[in-house]
Amino acid sequence: MELGLYTFADVDPNAVNKGAEAARRVKDLLEEIELADQVGLDVFGLGEHHRPDYMASSPSTILAAAAVKTKNIRLTSAVTVLSSDDPVRVFQQFAIVDLLSGGRAEIMAGRGSFIESFPLFGYDLDDYDTLFAEKLDLLLAVRQNEIVNWSGETRAPISGRGVYPRPLQDLLPLWIAVGGTPQSVARAGVLGLPLALAIIGGQPHRFAPLFNLYRESAKRAGHDPATLKTSINVHGFIADTTEKAADVFYGPQAEVMNRIGRERGWGPTNRQHFDQSRAADGAIFLGDPETVAEKIVAHHKIFGNDRFLLQMAIGPMPHAEIMRGIELYGTKVAPLVRKALTHQETGA
């Protein structure tokens, strides 16, 4: 199983000098990606947003910078909001990341859980589903063919035009990211594309039927489910002790969840709810290395997932604490997980 990180590159939305705040965060972010590579993690993902509390409006630009500073780690969006972007440009940008990185780029495409990009780029939210379906279809065509012929309702047609540059990888990896909508899960299965499932609340095991739906949809469409990859993407944090991990992570995570909750009508979170969520059956993967490794392995038994991505850099998390968490993830958690899963697979 691949182990990695993802982040939305949170910044202080109330910073007076927003340029300076963004500059600080991008510097820290590149250090975090470099360290993740150095300690042997497999994947780093960066999410696209167009809000004052997140800095990475153009993940491919930052991942291109990371590509020349790293050697082995795979670099992916998490996610690209495909509905409000141009699939040709998305492909071209990630093809360049792929070339710069020596074949380590991926796209994780989704409809997006925030809507700011739609009015920003002139799209109608009434076309939310149609936009994603058509643009995904175009991205698949561009990914598969150097010379593209395509037509749809939401974009001008392409007739016999070439799309360049081509990536180093024969087929640029493309994942579909979902937040729990069964229709989106089924679509990924029908298309035979890898599926990333975000789990940021509730009890993770309740999401397992979605992977069953995904594999069944793939099978009905003629794909071999055994060849399709799955990922779970979750919140969490690693520190030297479980108590420290909880104390460091609670404040920033609660600040973000309460801020988004006020926008969406959720009730406020509190420490009791947080502590319940970090229990063995909760959605937050937090603790000392042994605790987090045990929880990752336990949920692998439930999901059979091929990838696990952890969002540690959330809200106003101190950079030094994030760096220590990444170090522990790569040097302590990852070896424990890999050893446990190797023993599982060999029956030792």
Side-chain angles (χ1 to χ4, degrees), residues 80-138:
T80 292
V81 185
L82 191 60
S83 306
S84 58
D85 210 332
D86 185 283
V88 176
R89 290 298 284 157
V90 168
F91 178 84
Q92 290 173 324
Q93 290 159 2
F94 279 88
I96 289 173
V97 176
D98 201 53
L99 297 172
L100 288 168
S101 66
R104 293 183 281 122
E106 299 183 1
I107 301 170
M108 189 186 298
R111 296 188 297 177
S113 62
F114 294 94
I115 62 171
E116 289 83 4
S117 63
F118 289 83
L120 182 63
F121 297 116
Y123 291 100
D124 191 333
L125 276 171
D126 289 340
D127 298 328
Y128 186 81
D129 293 321
T130 303
L131 282 165
F132 183 74
E134 283 207 350
K135 292 195 174 190
L136 179 59
D137 184 57
L138 175 54

Side-chain angles (χ1 to χ4, degrees), residues 332-343:
K332 301 292 185 182
V333 175
L336 289 170
V337 171
R338 289 165 183 155
K339 181 178 180 181
L341 295 187
T342 299
H343 287 179

Side-chain angles (χ1 to χ4, degrees), residues 188-244:
V190 169
L191 294 173
L193 294 172
L195 178 70
L197 175 63
I199 304 174
I200 61 170
Q203 295 176 307
H205 73 268
R206 296 183 180 274
F207 290 81
L210 291 174
F211 276 5
N212 297 334
L213 171 63
Y214 167 69
R215 294 180 178 114
E216 180 60 27
S217 299
K219 183 178 179 181
R220 288 176 179 269
H223 305 292
D224 180 1
T227 66
L228 300 180
K229 293 184 178 181
T230 56
S231 174
I232 58 172
N233 302 354
V234 304
H235 288 181
F237 187 65
I238 305 159
D240 292 282
T241 68
T242 296
E243 292 73 17
K244 181 176 181 179

Side-chain angles (χ1 to χ4, degrees), residues 2-10 25 29-30 32-34 36-37 41-49 54-64 66-67 70 72-80 94 97 104-109 175 177 196 231-234 307-314 322 326 329:
E2 293 177 315
L3 299 170
L5 294 158
Y6 74 105
T7 182
F8 300 156
D10 303 55
R25 185 66 190 101
L29 176 58
L30 289 172
E32 291 160 17
I33 300 174
E34 283 188 85
D37 181 53
L41 293 174
D42 301 301
V43 187
F44 198 101
L46 188 56
E48 174 193 345
H49 293 87
Y54 300 122
M55 180 270 294
S57 63
S58 177
S60 62
T61 306
I62 300 169
L63 295 176
T70 55
N72 299 305
I73 197 165
R74 299 195 65 79
L75 302 167
T76 181
S77 54
V79 301
T80 292
F94 279 88
V97 176
R104 293 183 281 122
E106 299 183 1
I107 301 170
M108 189 186 298
W175 290 65
S231 174
I232 58 172
N233 302 354
V234 304
R307 179 177 285 184
F308 174 88
L309 298 186
L310 184 65
Q311 185 178 9
M312 290 200 294
I314 180 172
I322 295 170
I326 293 172
Y329 190 10

